[in-house]
Amino acid sequence: MSSPTSQTPTSTDPAEPLTDPLEFAAALSRSFAQTQDINATVREALAQIVKLLRVEAGAIFLLDELKANLICRASVGPVDVTGLSVPNGSGIVGRSVAEDHIQVVEHAYEDQGFFSEADRKTGFVTRSILCAPMGVGQSVIGAVEVLNKQDGKPFNLEDQNLLRVIAASAALAISNARMADRLV
């Protein structure tokens, strides 16, 4: 038997935090600022968000060019919903974007705005949702959505604040990447 030692939490131990939330947000901002491949960075960031917030799934939705639909551009969890299209203003993600306000829904099927089509198509069961709009200045470009806390507890204020910071950082990175593409 070995004697107990002090260890730094790692991402392989789900009982331990991945990292300090503020350190995570700062590292994420640096990563977005330095990336050459925004899509890969967004997917990796989403995977880390899911671990940090200890949720079952997460997705990043972006408005299409006509701002008519929100398209899932990255998905992490037991089912892949990348490519899923939600009419702008529909569902919790659409409401978050339309109102430019964070949405906390603890009982998804009791919320009249819940877009249950994704659950029907995939077999996933959404219980709770935390969704933060992604905006730059006065323009909302999409939202980050996480589903079902693993411990079954409600999303708390710390979860909300962290997702707000992450959404703002992601929005700035995506906006900058889009501007760079247009310039090229």
Side-chain angles (χ1 to χ4, degrees), residues 89-113:
S90 295
I92 308 305
V93 69
R95 186 168 69 203
S96 181
V97 169
E99 296 176 5
D100 192 13
H101 192 270
I102 197 158
Q103 300 291 309
V104 182
V105 177
E106 290 306 327
H107 303 286
Y109 283 88
E110 294 176 13
D111 189 299
Q112 292 181 350

Side-chain angles (χ1 to χ4, degrees), residues 175-184:
S175 179
N176 287 343
R178 286 177 171 174
M179 282 193 298
D181 281 348
R182 281 190 289 256
L183 289 173
V184 171

Side-chain angles (χ1 to χ4, degrees), residues 91-158:
I92 308 305
V93 69
R95 186 168 69 203
S96 181
V97 169
E99 296 176 5
D100 192 13
H101 192 270
I102 197 158
Q103 300 291 309
V104 182
V105 177
E106 290 306 327
H107 303 286
Y109 283 88
E110 294 176 13
D111 189 299
Q112 292 181 350
F114 176 59
F115 187 74
S116 60
E117 183 67 21
D119 280 10
R120 270 195 298 277
K121 285 182 178 179
T122 64
F124 185 80
V125 177
T126 302
R127 293 183 309 278
S128 60
I129 302 169
L130 176 61
C131 186
M134 297 187 319
V136 178
Q138 300 300 316
S139 178
V140 178
I141 64 169
V144 179
E145 182 176 69
V146 294
L147 309 172
N148 303 347
K149 291 276 283 194
Q150 291 174 349
D151 61 9
K153 293 182 180 175
F155 288 106
N156 61 35
L157 188 56
E158 184 179 338

Side-chain angles (χ1 to χ4, degrees), residues 5-21 48 50-54 150:
T5 58
S6 174
Q7 294 182 329
T8 304
T10 65
S11 61
T12 59
D13 183 355
E16 293 292 330
L18 184 64
T19 185
D20 175 80
Q48 294 300 320
V50 165
K51 288 179 186 176
L52 183 65
L53 290 176
R54 294 186 178 113
Q150 291 174 349

